[in-house]
Amino acid sequence: MTARAADRARYDRATAHLDAPLAIVDLEAFDANADDLVRRAGGKPIRVASKSVRCRHLLERVLAKDGFAGIMSFTLAESLWLARSGFEDILLAYPSADRARFAELAADPKLAAAVTVMIDDPAHLDLIDAARDGGTEVVRVCLELDTSLKLLGGRVRVGALRSPLYSPAQLADLARTVARRPGFKLVGIMGYEGHIAGVGDAVAGRPLRSRAVRLMQATARRELAERRAAVVRAVRAVVPDLEFVNGGGTGSVQTTAAEDAVTEIAAGSGLYVPRLFDNYTSFTGRPAALFAMPVVRRPGVGVVTVLGGGYPASGVAGPDRLPVPYLPEGLSYDSQEGPGEVQTPLLGAAADDLLIGDRVWFRHAKAGELCERFAELHLVEGDRVTATVPTYRGEGQTFL
């Protein structure tokens, strides 16, 4: 029996008393992935990206481990909810225009002490001030660095279109603006190098592309390490007591941690290890989050149909954004239908061994987005479900 077949047998036994559709997290794999992230971080603390987890119970579990400290959130509403739930040190990774929540933040000493918001433009400060509604608490802010690689005099850009702050001078100028502005305190710098951390460099069946990605990433790492160090020096000249410099992501933990200028690493997807994180030379994780759909039809030889399953991930639409049928091995989508809203035909010899009511296990393309489809996660240890916990959705929270 292969390791994957053994996992399938465990998961089927553990959830035999439950009806599919359902989602699980294998806690042994989850914990092993967490330990590997800590190893790769080389002693620097890891801030957990909540968008990749979306379950308070599992956030608490990983933050209880040595090597993890703080949360990187994805909306201001989520940040305040987590702070009211008892989480501390929450860095909002994206600028917000949520005026009502800014008014809450500026009026509550506990929230203002726990949450740091992201800015990359003086207009963000103006928006926050206009939203205060009498709130006088000092708002903690972080500057976001554009980490993209620019070549040929800027005519070629590799990396996400995020912050407009690219040079040390630009970040230092905004740091001075914050320092002069009553009601704000600059506490950190963040730079997410998605073109390094979030792009696989060993794509199966595409050796030339994989080599090109590795060359690009090697160039990007060198350029960014030099520029980030210069940015930190420039900003610290304005704000010497800067609390943190955040960088990285699951795919670049060890290389980002090697930068002296970086004080902490961000990671989250590496806990669940969705299918987009199979194509890396820098690490190998264990799939920890899966969902199961029941077989409801057997249309013919080599074909079964499962209920639902059309759960695409965000990003540029394409086959890599689709869930992948994982267990049993050897199933694939019908090219004319793909994963559907209410049914999904699956092809392959393994289909002939599946009966009505059996389940097929899938891996989502991305991490936390799976939790937007399920109200609860069944936590598996060995061949037993030892707990069932709500996702954000299960707690009535749909932040984005």
Side-chain angles (χ1 to χ4, degrees):
M1 181 182 291
T2 66
R4 278 174 60 174
D7 283 341
R8 179 194 175 200
R10 283 197 303 115
Y11 300 150
D12 282 348
R13 286 195 301 271
T15 62
H17 61 295
L18 301 170
D19 287 327
L22 59 87
I24 66 167
V25 170
D26 184 332
L27 289 181
E28 181 181 328
F30 181 90
D31 289 343
N33 293 333
D35 292 343
D36 188 59
L37 287 170
V38 171
R39 177 190 62 79
R40 291 197 286 136
K44 291 188 177 177
I46 299 171
R47 187 181 290 274
V48 184
S50 62
K51 76 176 182 64
S52 300
V53 179
R54 302 194 199 203
C55 171
R56 284 199 297 170
H57 177 89
L58 291 174
L59 288 172
E60 290 169 352
R61 183 183 184 92
V62 72
L63 286 169
K65 294 179 177 292
D66 290 340
F68 290 87
I71 288 176
M72 178 174 281
S73 58
F74 60 98
T75 74
L76 184 55
E78 179 212 15
S79 305
L80 302 190
W81 179 67
L82 289 174
R84 289 185 171 118
S85 301
F87 292 93
E88 300 176 349
D89 190 10
I90 301 162
L91 171 62
L92 175 56
Y94 307 89
S96 176
D98 189 338
R99 293 173 174 82
R101 277 11 181 274
F102 276 129
E104 294 177 32
L105 179 69
D108 189 317
K110 178 184 175 182
L111 297 180
V115 176
T116 299
V117 303
M118 192 66 59
I119 69 166
D120 58 38
D121 191 305
H124 292 135
L125 303 178
D126 296 338
L127 187 148
I128 295 169
D129 269 340
R132 283 180 181 271
D133 193 28
T136 59
E137 295 299 321
V138 172
V139 175
R140 294 164 54 87
V141 299
C142 176
L143 307 183
E144 181 169 0
L145 165 67
D146 174 10
T147 64
S148 65
L149 174 65
K150 295 183 180 181
L151 304 170
L152 301 178
R155 292 189 295 276
V156 175
R157 174 197 179 99
V158 181
L161 290 165
R162 292 176 62 116
S163 170
L165 304 176
Y166 188 83
S167 69
Q170 288 175 309
L171 279 99
D173 283 346
L174 187 50
R176 281 188 283 270
T177 298
V178 176
R180 291 193 297 262
R181 189 99 172 221
F184 296 94
K185 181 181 181 182
L186 178 59
V187 297
I189 300 171
M190 186 199 81
Y192 171 57
E193 54 268 33
H195 52 302
I196 304 171
V199 178
D201 63 350
V203 182
R206 304 190 68 179
L208 294 180
R209 171 179 168 79
S210 298
R211 184 180 179 188
V213 169
R214 288 194 290 272
L215 289 172
M216 175 276 291
Q217 290 179 341
T219 301
R221 280 193 296 268
R222 289 192 297 269
E223 186 277 334
L224 179 58
E226 294 178 3
R227 182 160 53 89
R228 182 151 42 198
V231 163
V232 172
R233 287 194 298 271
V235 173
R236 286 195 185 278
V238 179
V239 183
D241 59 346
L242 202 66
E243 295 178 16
F244 64 85
V245 177
N246 181 282
T250 288
S252 69
V253 170
Q254 61 269 45
T255 54
T256 306
E259 295 183 35
D260 291 338
V262 173
T263 66
E264 62 175 41
I265 309 300
S269 295
L271 296 168
Y272 287 170
V273 186
R275 64 167 295 197
L276 282 178
F277 285 83
D278 287 346
N279 304 317
Y280 286 78
T281 57
S282 60
F283 78 103
T284 301
R286 293 174 55 182
L290 300 94
F291 67 93
M293 310 304 288
V295 174
V296 293
R297 288 179 175 167
R298 291 171 50 88
V301 175
V303 186
V304 293
T305 302
V306 300
L307 184 70
Y311 302 158
S314 60
V316 179
D320 67 337
R321 301 290 146 166
L322 301 179
V324 60
Y326 183 61
L327 302 170
E329 299 179 64
L331 295 173
S332 61
Y333 294 124
D334 175 56
S335 61
Q336 300 302 309
E337 294 194 45
E341 177 186 7
V342 291
Q343 71 163 36
T344 297
L346 296 170
L347 313 180
D352 292 329
D353 295 325
L354 292 169
L355 304 176
I356 300 294
D358 286 349
R359 56 197 52 175
V360 175
W361 295 91
F362 292 78
R363 294 172 64 200
H364 204 270
K366 298 184 77 172
E369 291 182 20
L370 168 65
C371 294
E372 298 299 333
R373 298 288 185 169
F374 292 91
E376 57 191 19
L377 298 172
H378 302 286
L379 306 184
V380 173
E381 296 184 73
D383 60 359
R384 295 186 307 119
V385 170
T386 56
T388 298
V389 298
T391 61
Y392 280 10
R393 173 180 171 176
E395 296 199 68
Q397 305 295 334
T398 51
F399 295 112
L400 201 60

